[in-house]
């Protein structure tokens, strides 16, 4: 039996191997993905992002158990270097995660953070495709939300939950500048701590202002999605099903608002990501390892050329297939 | 006078315009960069990264004043969405920054965080080239260090300072998984707070272990760089010149250890970044806007094709210049 056969027969060891093969961009990974790709059926991809220490992994943990109890198959992808799923967090956290590993309908995978962020988003998307092909219903993608990466990784998800905590006045600041734009659902975790009500009110007033600005600029079009602010205490399993209901409402909203349009936007962004990755992959394999590049570097170091003109020459030569 | 003439004549308004032109990837930006590129002379690029709230902006502020007082021209690039330099932080922080704006030998620029992280690193490198061409001696690049982005942006810097604070036990965790590998100098800011000595000791013991592992695996080669752990209290201007001395020692180390090799590694990584950016730019302009892509999306949505085979077809067609 080939790896693909075993994969299609539901072998979890084969699943893990296929993911590694795809993640490593091994020769022929895209042909393998082409065969795994399951046209119509798609898992629902939910991104969870937020600052380190917001409790994203605990939330993912609780959501996975909730969905697993509903007989849904749940894939977890951790692209957060501080996540216990990816081995970055304290021992205690990792011990708590052990409970998940025994469940047959939960699969956990951490993504290496090497490569560029764009490459990481493409790899995350591809691992989602593998999990979909294996028959997972929901994929939870955990990523740390304080830089550019969450924007890239969020682009592969259908719904994005932005997680924050009462302590982090900083997080509200961060949200104003980036996270705000990608959030479909806000989740105030550790909401039994002091200041929770205040920070929730603060966030809701920001959302209110945005809503007014939007409704003025867009005119009386179809009702826009109103980003809910949910409250959870993940370690006590409080508010988890309510959080999931909010995600489900967003899913419904997306599908009802413009189902064809949504699928096509999604397909387009996935395709562009795939193309970019393929182009960079080809560049790397056929151009970055040639003598051309070494000679160009010498010219730049010796002051005989500037990198921009050299780059254009190398690129044009490469594109015409002469390297 | 053309924009380039005014730029070369030292006009700061022209500098700002050139940066925008380059950052926006306006038509011909690479030709402009080719003319600005100053072969031999290079500014020293120092990256400062670390979690939000570690006080990176205050450090950058103090370092800029220190260097400016030594008659050095200092460029500041903020790619951190939570930085006061990029407008993301609290009003009080921004007010503190006002002091810098009056200084003729300090120039501050915030980078937009749109585009991919790889694209952001390339744009940061290009803005460095512009600042170098304008005659800056030192460029301080501030970025938030909790995801992938700091690895990409760090790749354009000569020395990387990783900033952390006593409170953040998380930050040590984060360092273990990523930041550790890019740090040339550690800076424990707010080191007058409780726990500073403990966390410094913890970090130094980790560094000790790494050093032993390294010396065993590498044999008795040239002395490796020993990452120092510096202590600062940026808001009280404490430890700033010591921090800068550590950066200077690293600069010296790099230049003495293998000057030609270092310049060539640097040139190679810059060139690869430039090439990747150029390729993605060309992809975007010539492929992502064509009817080909629209038709491909339709095929995928209707279930008649998979994105991986389609991507390869589109890419090959594009490379052969038929789109």
């Amino acid at each position: 039996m080939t790896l693909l056969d075993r994969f299609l027969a539901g072998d979890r060891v084969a699943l893990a191997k296929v993911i590694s093969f795809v993640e490593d961009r091994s020769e022929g990974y895209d042909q393998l993905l082409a065969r795994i790709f399951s046209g119509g059926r798609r898992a629902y991809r939910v991104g969870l992002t937020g600052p380190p220490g917001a409790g994203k992994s605990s939330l993912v943990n609780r959501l996975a158990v909730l969905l697993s109890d509903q007989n849904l198959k749940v894939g977890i992808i951790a692209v957060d270097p501080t996540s216990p799923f990816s081995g970055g967090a304290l021992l205690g956290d990792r011990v708590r995660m052990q409970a998940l590993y025994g469940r047959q309908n939960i699969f956990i995978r951490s993504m290496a953070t090497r490569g560029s962020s764009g490459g990481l988003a493409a790899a995350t998307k591809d691992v989602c495709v593998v999990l979909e092909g294996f028959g997972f219903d929901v994929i939870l993608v955990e990523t740390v939300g304080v830089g550019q990466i969450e924007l890239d990784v969020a682009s592969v998800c259908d719904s994005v939950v932005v997680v924050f905590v009462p302590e982090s006045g900083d997080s509200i600041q961060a949200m104003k500048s980036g996270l705000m734009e990608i959030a479909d659902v806000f989740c105030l975790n550790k909401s039994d701590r002091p200041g929770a009500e205040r920070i929730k009110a603060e966030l809701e007033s920001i959302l209110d202002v945005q809503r007014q600005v939007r409704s003025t600029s867009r005119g009386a079009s179809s009702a826009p999605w109103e980003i809910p602010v949910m409250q959870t205490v993940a370690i006590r399993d409080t508010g988890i099903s309510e959080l999931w209901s909010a995600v489900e409402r967003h899913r419904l909203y997306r599908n009802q608002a413009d189902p064809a349009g949504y699928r096509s936007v999604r397909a387009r962004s996935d395709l562009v990501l795939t193309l970019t990755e393929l182009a960079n992959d080809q560049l790397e394999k056929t151009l970055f390892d040639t003598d051309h590049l070494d000679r160009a570097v010498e010219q730049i170091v010796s002051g005989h050329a500037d990198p921009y003109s050299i780059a254009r020459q190398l690129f044009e030569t490469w594109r015409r297939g002469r390297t």
Side-chain angles (χ1 to χ4, degrees), chain A residues 13-14 26 50 53 86 103 111 169 179 196 200 210 214 238 240 258 260 268 277 295 309:
Chain A
V13 175
S26 306
S86 51
R103 295 193 175 225
M111 298 284 292
L179 288 182
K200 182 172 192 267
Q210 288 198 328
R214 230 170 13 197
T238 303
I240 304 301
D258 179 15
R268 190 184 181 92
E277 180 74 357
R295 278 200 298 275
S309 310

Side-chain angles (χ1 to χ4, degrees), chain A residues 260-281:
Chain A
Y262 175 58
R263 272 204 302 277
S264 134
V265 165
R266 165 91 290 152
R268 190 184 181 92
S269 98
D270 280 4
L271 180 57
V272 164
L273 209 52
T274 305
L275 261 167
T276 307
E277 180 74 357
L278 181 65
N280 287 333
D281 185 58

Side-chain angles (χ1 to χ4, degrees), chain A residues 47 150 155 171 220 241 259 282 308-309:
Chain A
E150 80 280 3
S155 77
S171 68
S241 63
Q282 292 295 311
Y308 300 97
S309 310

Side-chain angles (χ1 to χ4, degrees), chain A residues 97-110:
Chain A
M97 299 302 148
Q98 297 297 331
L100 295 187
Y101 286 86
R103 295 193 175 225
Q104 265 301 312
N105 51 0
I106 295 180
F107 184 86
I108 300 169
R109 179 73 183 205
S110 72

Side-chain angles (χ1 to χ4, degrees), chain A residues 290-308:
Chain A
T290 59
D291 294 340
H292 289 78
L293 197 65
D294 292 334
R295 278 200 298 275
V297 169
E298 273 168 43
Q299 284 181 277
I300 293 168
V301 172
S302 64
H304 289 92
D306 73 87
Y308 300 97

Side-chain angles (χ1 to χ4, degrees), chain A residues 39-100:
Chain A
R41 193 171 47 72
R42 262 183 53 98
Y44 200 69
R45 305 177 188 169
V46 181
L48 287 101
T49 190
K56 295 182 294 296
S57 309
S58 302
L59 276 173
V60 167
N61 193 330
R62 296 294 187 179
L63 284 172
V65 169
L66 177 85
L67 298 170
S68 157
D69 285 344
Q70 297 171 10
N71 285 318
L72 291 169
K73 295 179 76 179
V74 185
I76 297 173
I77 303 176
V79 286
D80 178 352
T82 69
S83 165
F85 292 121
S86 51
L90 301 165
L91 193 61
D93 289 327
R94 251 174 289 168
V95 169
R96 274 209 305 273
M97 299 302 148
Q98 297 297 331
L100 295 187

